[in-house]
Amino acid sequence: MAPKSVPLRDTRQLYGKVTRLLHWSIAALMLWQFFGMGLKLLLGRQPVVAFFVGSHQAVGTVLFVLIALRVVWALVNRRSRPDHGAGFWGLAARLGHMALYLVMALVPTIALLRAYGGERAFAPFGFQIFPAQEPPITWTVNLAGALHGELAWLLLVLILGHVVMVGVHESMWRDGTLARMAGRRRAGL
Ligand code: HEM
């Protein structure tokens, strides 16, 4: 029998094509952001660092759009997604994913609020998205100054925890969890 292909929408057995595209493109762009900012922290201002960090605002803005789409798509599919299961680990997975969504959405939103309220025009792609504010909106600037970096590192910790738990599912529990987002053989198709 020919194997069934992955559907566009999510099902109870696995995540569909749209969720997978959003998940893996966000993961790749996040890696770019953290790699660049990690280098900046380790090496300071250097040409190689400027190569990664120079695209930080543009990549972050694209991430904001992808994350907004992802939240909407998760809500549209909320009744037909794989279940996290019962008991302690099910609850932990649910809470962990909620925290991931919340912090993932806050990090670029707060940075964009700062860009909106700043005294310089915001034009990460070469055309103006927000004009310069005169005077600047201090609360948006201060909010991001206080929280953008800190929440971003918290997000990295949550992402690392997420990756470790996928490793536990794969190596110890062998329940096909990764296949729900990256394959189909062990996810019930
Ligand atoms: C999900 C998307 C994003 C991630 C994961 C991310 C991550 C980070 C990280 C890890 C830092 C370093 C903090 C430190 O030095 O300790 C940082 C700094 C920075 N980010 Fe982002 N960022 C994102 C989106 C954005 C966006 C959309 C903008 C601009 C609109 C932006 C502007 C900045 C700026 C100006 C800094 C340096 C000042 C600061 O730490 O606040 N970021 N970001």
Side-chain angles (χ1 to χ4, degrees):
M1 195 171 71
K4 290 183 207 163
S5 64
V6 176
L8 266 188
R9 288 189 63 157
D10 301 342
T11 70
R12 282 282 174 213
Q13 285 72 41
L14 83 183
Y15 293 101
K17 282 181 178 152
V18 175
T19 299
R20 289 170 183 224
L21 183 66
L22 289 168
H23 178 273
W24 292 112
S25 54
I26 288 171
L29 294 178
M30 289 277 187
L31 195 65
W32 178 267
Q33 296 292 73
F34 285 116
F35 186 70
M37 285 306 177
L39 273 187
K40 185 177 158 200
L41 213 62
L42 288 175
L43 306 177
R45 285 179 185 275
Q46 294 212 21
V48 62
V49 175
F51 173 73
F52 288 99
V53 173
S55 61
H56 185 83
Q57 299 196 357
V59 172
T61 305
V62 172
L63 270 167
F64 172 81
V65 173
L66 292 175
I67 290 163
L69 288 174
R70 186 158 177 197
V71 170
V72 171
W73 190 246
L75 290 174
V76 169
N77 285 269
R78 69 188 182 283
R79 292 190 203 290
S80 58
R81 312 195 100 186
D83 190 47
H84 293 308
F88 171 79
W89 290 110
L91 180 65
R94 225 180 310 274
L95 291 177
H97 285 139
M98 276 168 65
L100 266 171
Y101 267 91
L102 180 68
V103 181
M104 179 172 77
L106 277 177
V107 168
T109 303
I110 286 176
L112 284 171
L113 275 176
R114 169 171 59 192
Y116 171 74
E119 58 196 355
R120 280 191 298 179
F122 183 62
F125 306 105
F127 57 88
Q128 181 173 295
I129 297 180
F130 301 133
Q133 298 283 351
E134 188 48 52
I137 306 173
T138 43
W139 76 264
T140 70
V141 176
N142 293 341
L143 182 73
L147 288 181
H148 176 67
E150 281 67 11
L151 284 179
W153 294 122
L154 171 64
L155 177 61
L156 180 61
V157 171
L158 290 172
I159 292 172
L160 291 177
H162 177 67
V163 173
V164 166
M165 283 317 295
V166 173
V168 170
H169 275 281
E170 286 305 294
S171 62
M172 289 171 62
W173 299 338
R174 298 178 190 276
D175 55 7
T177 295
L178 180 60
R180 292 169 167 183
M181 192 58 97
R184 55 200 152 87
R185 248 183 317 133
R186 295 176 59 207
L189 267 185

